[in-house]
Amino acid sequence: MKKLFSLLFVAMTMVSLAHATTFTFNDTISQTKDGMTVRFALGAGQSVPAYNGGFRLYAKNTITVSGGTITSISIEFTKQGKKDYAELSASVGSLVSGGVSTSNEDVKTDTWTGSASKVVFTLGASGQRVVKSITVVGTGAQGDEGGDEGGDEG
């Protein structure tokens, strides 16, 4: 009986360590919350990601999410222009596209799943997308700043 309670306690502790952290953005190119960091960067692109009610990513820009053990990431996109769709790819794990937003109110979500301490998302070779929010699920590593992966922001 004592072993059963000990195992249940350990299992509940492990489950409670994973949590969701939601990032909404202002004009800050990198944010850290709950030991998780989200950073927008130029990557191999020609234009620096820009904030205008959401972070606009241009062709070949990157988003780096890092810290602890990440098990899922949801990226919400809205439409704010004529070239608002480009495929997103992930450096590790599995990414499922939510499709193309048809208006600013039509939020689409790309969902990543896996297990990693860092995931780099890269926008396709043409087009752009506007990030409304990012929700990261995992166990954060306090003090992890995420590094410079993905290139300069400007």
Side-chain angles (χ1 to χ4, degrees), residues 102-144:
T102 57
S103 71
N104 197 28
E105 292 77 32
D106 181 27
V107 176
K108 299 294 183 182
T109 304
D110 284 13
T111 305
W112 176 90
T113 55
S115 181
S117 60
K118 178 165 67 174
V119 182
V120 179
F121 297 97
T122 304
L123 204 61
S126 65
Q128 51 191 278
R129 292 182 85 180
V130 177
V131 177
K132 177 180 178 183
S133 69
I134 298 176
T135 300
V136 181
V137 176
T139 56
Q142 297 301 322
D144 184 358

